[in-house]
Amino acid sequence: MSDVIHQTADSEHHHGDHKKGILGWITRWLFTTNHKDIGTLYLILSLVMFFVAGAMALLIRAELFEPGLQFLKPNIFNQMTTLHGLIMVFGVVMPAFVGLANWQIPMMIGAPDMALPRLNNLSFWILPFAFTILSSTLFMDGGGPDFGWTFYAPLSTKYGPPSTDYMIFAIHLMGISSILGSINIIATILNLRAPGMKMMKMPIFVWSWLITAFLLLAIMPVLAGTVTMMLTDRNFGTSFFDAAGGGDPLLFQHVFWFFGHPEVYVLILPAFGVISEIIPTFSRKKLFGYDFMVYAIACIAILSFIVWAHHMFTTGIPLGAELFFMYTTMLIAVPTGVKVFNWVSTMFKGSLTFETPMLFAIAFVFLFTIGGFSGLMLAIVPADFQYQDTYFVVAHFHYVLVSGAIFSLMAAVYYWLPKWCGKMYNERLGKWHFWLTVISMNLTFFPMHFLGLAGMPRRIPDYALQFTDFNAIATVGAFIFGVSQLLFVYNIIHTIWKGKQTTAQVWEGAHGLEWTLSSPPPHHSFTTPPVIE
Amino acid sequence: MHKILKTLFTLILFFFSPLVLAEMALNMPRGVTPISKDIYDLHMVIFWICVAIGVGVFSVMIYSLMYHRKSKGAVPAAFHEHMSLEILWAVIPFVILVVMAIPATKVLIDMHDTDDAAVTIKIVGHQWKWEYQYLDQGVQFYSNLSTPFDQIHNNVKKDPHYLLQVDNPVVVPVHKKVRFLVTSADVVHSWWVPELGIKRDAIPGFIHEAWARVQKPGTYRGQCAELCGVNHGFMPIVVQAVSDDEFNQWVAAQMKQAKQAAEASQKPLTREELMTMGKKVYENNCAACHKVDGQGMPPVFPPMRGSSVAVGHPVSRHISLVLHGVPNTAMQAFASQLSDLELAAVITYERNAWGNNTGELVQPKDVQDLRAVKKLTRKTNERRNSSNS
């Protein structure tokens, strides 16, 4: 470890290595091994993909504004739902959290950089190729993947369009990127902590990422296996998922969700970490129940491996399996509840202020909890028979992913951006962005609960007349949401260009090693390790 | 624009008027079977539990947000851990969950009890229609969406049951235990009728069970709930629950109809008869992929207009293709779905519509002959296989 720390290359010298001009600029970003540069690249990719997948969502909502077919043919509609889901999961939320991990973990544990900088470069630069391949499927003969982001066999195997093979390749690339990224994060956290930073003294964001990285290592190979079986079913005459050849279409769902359920915790555990950093800062009070927060994350991660079939209650799995998966799924409410109670207790008797990151964090606690409630309802198997595959499920997972994962990402950007670039964002604009976002988000997704309960299936391009009003409301909400995000981009660009200089501390109540560094921090965050008492 | 204004207006009403709320469907239907009612009750119990917990948690939070502000001079307290509190708020939810799990388990066990059914109906999902087979009565038919294309494409006013209407509804007797055996011929579908409290995935290679005892005569509508391809949104389910007598009459009428159709296949038809019937059959069975105007959606769904099959020779090639499908493509085998008469009509239509003016007529007899050919070869193959082994 000391070897790493003694490389005290100073940042001025390092920057001097790069050539001038366009070529210099390209090589600087293409060959960078710096955790901050790579973090920035991840975050920019994520923001771009957020608008790409968001535009797809708006096309979907435009089509669903009223009954009848208006803008999208059903086959295009299905391609939009598929790519919206795939890109939001793999291209927006995951890269954004890896970007945060890159920026923050070395600064939060007192390290100069990530443990494996070249690997770090590779794991990012795989992604633009993966998403180029994935997006290019839309322009191929026969159209893009059109079977939903869950790509159930045999719809995706025997009946999938030719471009499905490209999707499979893109997923392989994303999987490699995630695995490499996770290895790097684990290696960094386990080896590069400043002296005196014991495991149970690590910032909770670092803990959440350590656990998430292990989840990713466990599940990404399963996804790779699943898509490889699809590939051979499609091209080499195997029948893993084809009943006619002795295979089993249900096997697909089992392996997919064995990956898929831990995957949704990959999307939310780092969000828990972010929120657990922000709430104490703006409550000016230590995080309540740190130890239990760590245990709760670990508990959720372990439970996530034994609940996968709750996505499959209507597939005719045996009674015993339905009961088992119902009980384990309900059990997840316990550690999740502990987290919510601890956040509320952190705020209780604090000294609260409401800057934009805190507003997003508070909205997170409220709305994620609502998403948790609908999740608990979905766990009740008999009731799930009515909810499954309806807009109730759509409402549920958008409450945990939009007001959960996405809100936590926005909170994180507002919280750490001043540290990253040394300049303060426009608070008034931030508040406008927050209020527009939170109102339109609820306008979009709350009516979907009603739609689902009243009987509207998901993934349909056209619907019966009784669903008209709520769909119209959701569409209006979605467009307000989409336009509001331009404020976010404007605010970020404005901050970087013309923001006011800020201090190293940035926030009055902030604690942690990253705030002991200058804003912006030096190129190699900690060239000598800080001492933790 | 008008529509957007109307929406905004609804939006305002949505927040202020309980009357509007009352008109919109907000909640799960109670349904008409004992199971659907049990499900509804479970749904409401868990809903109110969530509301109660939510009110508790959110009021503490809102209290903090209001009174523990820095702007009000709040000074942060020093506490940051409390062992017994942590244990308490892990144990209490756990107990609530156990209490909730007990009735849920009971209902679930009940749902799985498909013994002693009076009527058994096998349901087969196809892209994009449902097939129903009454195993004891010998009735079999397909059920297609009957909403006209003009309504879907906004050319005419939409029917009140837009997208939720079919040509042949599935008929069940009331107050009798009806068992459904659900499977699929191609991809995964899901047979869902909310008022019956049944949602069962139709998975190729599996037969899954569900049951219902409908307590009230009436028409109950549902839809396919699992994404199954392009026309997933267009394969509704209509269940008609009728009295025992009406059910028996319906079964008799179905048998008679099947017999008449078989007789009609024996005599040749005129061009007009074939074309009129063919158009109807085409729109119900073929237009989803090959489109009303015969343009198809290449490359997956080839066009019909001017295609080498539809205008080429021999005609028997065209007939065999429709009868037996094309393996490993989306083209299904229609031999069991359509009668000889319907097949003759639709093939005649395809050979003469949209400028495919071959002028050739296909009669039910032609189809019947080709059916027999295929059957014969299959039998010979089987015989050959068994003698080999």
Side-chain angles (χ1 to χ4, degrees), chain A residues 279-344:
Chain A
I279 287 181
T281 295
F282 297 95
S283 304
R284 290 164 184 76
K285 192 161 155 274
K286 256 178 103 171
L287 180 68
F288 190 87
Y290 170 92
D291 292 8
F292 283 89
M293 289 300 245
V294 173
Y295 304 151
I297 296 179
C299 244
I300 294 173
I302 292 164
L303 281 175
S304 76
F305 284 104
I306 52 167
V307 296
W308 77 88
H310 71 210
H311 298 269
M312 302 163 54
F313 283 146
T314 61
T315 58
I317 54 173
L319 176 63
E322 286 186 333
L323 290 174
F324 173 80
F325 286 104
M326 171 165 75
Y327 300 148
T328 52
T329 305
M330 290 168 87
L331 214 51
I332 287 195
V334 175
T336 314
V338 167
K339 296 203 73 74
V340 173
F341 297 140
N342 278 321
W343 287 322
V344 174

Side-chain angles (χ1 to χ4, degrees), chain B residues 25-242:
Chain B
L26 287 172
N27 203 353
M28 184 190 285
R30 273 205 66 161
V32 289
T33 67
I35 293 287
S36 74
K37 284 171 186 162
D38 287 344
I39 290 176
Y40 177 84
D41 292 340
L42 280 176
H43 159 70
M44 289 318 287
V45 170
I46 186 77
F47 172 72
W48 287 115
I49 288 177
C50 289
V51 169
I53 299 173
V55 167
V57 174
F58 293 155
S59 39
V60 175
M61 202 168 145
I62 290 167
Y63 179 82
S64 302
L65 296 182
M66 287 168 68
Y67 295 101
H68 302 148
R69 296 174 174 229
K70 196 187 176 203
S71 58
K72 292 202 171 170
V75 180
F79 65 83
H80 62 85
E81 56 190 349
H82 197 291
M83 181 65 114
S84 25
L85 209 54
E86 299 280 356
I87 291 172
L88 191 72
W89 63 39
V91 169
I92 292 177
F94 184 78
V95 173
I96 296 175
L97 292 176
V98 171
V99 171
M100 191 59 225
I102 294 167
T105 304
K106 277 187 190 150
V107 176
L108 197 58
I109 291 171
D110 204 15
M111 289 171 94
H112 275 262
D113 176 21
T114 51
D115 290 348
D116 305 322
V119 180
T120 300
I121 304 173
K122 185 177 165 198
I123 302 170
V124 187
H126 296 264
Q127 281 182 324
W128 292 277
K129 69 195 87 170
W130 294 101
E131 179 192 356
Y132 298 99
Q133 300 171 11
Y134 290 67
L135 297 182
D136 306 321
Q137 286 77 8
V139 175
Q140 183 265 357
F141 58 90
Y142 286 81
S143 180
N144 290 286
L145 174 76
S146 65
T147 299
F149 279 86
D150 274 345
Q151 287 188 20
I152 295 170
H153 291 106
N154 309 310
N155 299 328
V156 293
K157 198 172 172 300
K158 293 179 171 46
D159 192 87
H161 294 301
Y162 175 69
L163 294 188
L164 295 179
Q165 49 202 170
V166 297
D167 51 2
N168 302 310
V170 54
V171 178
V172 298
V174 287
H175 303 302
K176 285 216 167 142
K177 188 165 184 174
V178 182
R179 184 167 65 137
F180 299 98
L181 303 174
V182 188
T183 186
S184 167
D186 37 49
V187 300
V188 182
H189 302 270
S190 188
W191 197 81
W192 179 35
V193 181
E195 310 240 34
L196 267 50
I198 294 179
K199 184 182 282 140
R200 267 286 169 219
D201 288 4
I203 302 175
F206 287 84
I207 295 180
H208 292 306
E209 293 178 310
W211 68 274
R213 193 192 299 276
V214 182
Q215 291 167 320
K216 208 176 113 195
T219 305
Y220 307 108
R221 293 165 201 275
Q223 281 177 272
C224 175
E226 181 63 58
L227 179 61
C228 56
V230 180
N231 290 313
H232 162 56
F234 305 96
M235 52 181 292
I237 297 149
V238 178
V239 177
Q240 261 170 14
V242 298

Side-chain angles (χ1 to χ4, degrees), chain A residues 22 92 113 182 196 201-202 333 358 397 421 430 445 453 471 502 530:
Chain A
I22 302 266
V92 178
D113 203 310
S182 309
K201 277 191 175 177
M202 289 196 312
M358 182 61 166
F397 67 71
C421 67
F445 298 113
L453 292 177
N471 268 300
T502 182

Side-chain angles (χ1 to χ4, degrees), chain A residues 370-383:
Chain A
I370 291 176
F373 286 146
S374 54
L376 188 56
M377 294 171 78
L378 283 157
I380 309 296
V381 183

Side-chain angles (χ1 to χ4, degrees), chain A residues 26-179:
Chain A
I26 291 173
T27 49
R28 167 186 176 354
W29 288 104
L30 198 59
F31 300 135
T32 182
T33 51
N34 180 275
H35 75 100
K36 299 189 188 73
D37 286 354
I38 295 171
T40 306
L41 288 171
Y42 266 112
L43 290 169
I44 291 172
L45 174 80
S46 162
L47 192 63
V48 171
M49 297 321 284
F50 182 55
F51 280 88
V52 171
M56 291 175 183
L58 293 187
L59 283 175
I60 293 169
R61 285 311 324 166
E63 177 56 50
L64 292 175
F65 182 62
E66 54 186 346
L69 295 177
Q70 286 89 20
F71 305 105
L72 302 179
K73 286 183 188 149
N75 58 336
I76 307 284
F77 182 92
N78 288 347
Q79 293 170 34
M80 290 295 111
T81 54
T82 306
L83 286 177
H84 166 75
L86 281 174
I87 294 177
M88 281 292 185
V89 169
F90 292 102
V92 178
V93 179
M94 288 174 71
F97 278 128
V98 180
L100 285 185
N102 257 293
W103 258 102
Q104 288 305 123
I105 289 175
M107 295 206 291
M108 292 173 110
I109 62 172
D113 203 310
M114 296 295 278
L116 309 161
R118 280 173 213 276
L119 192 74
N120 204 9
N121 174 290
L122 179 64
S123 60
F124 171 77
W125 278 110
I126 289 173
L127 285 182
F129 294 97
F131 288 103
T132 308
I133 292 169
L134 184 63
S135 311
S136 71
T137 57
L138 283 178
F139 307 100
M140 289 177 188
D141 221 13
D146 53 6
F147 28 67
W149 86 276
T150 51
F151 45 88
Y152 277 8
L155 188 60
S156 61
T157 50
K158 203 167 167 185
Y159 297 82
S163 64
T164 308
D165 297 326
Y166 288 83
M167 181 201 79
I168 290 172
F169 186 51
I171 288 175
H172 270 307
L173 290 179
M174 293 168 203
I176 293 169
S177 163
S178 291
I179 290 172

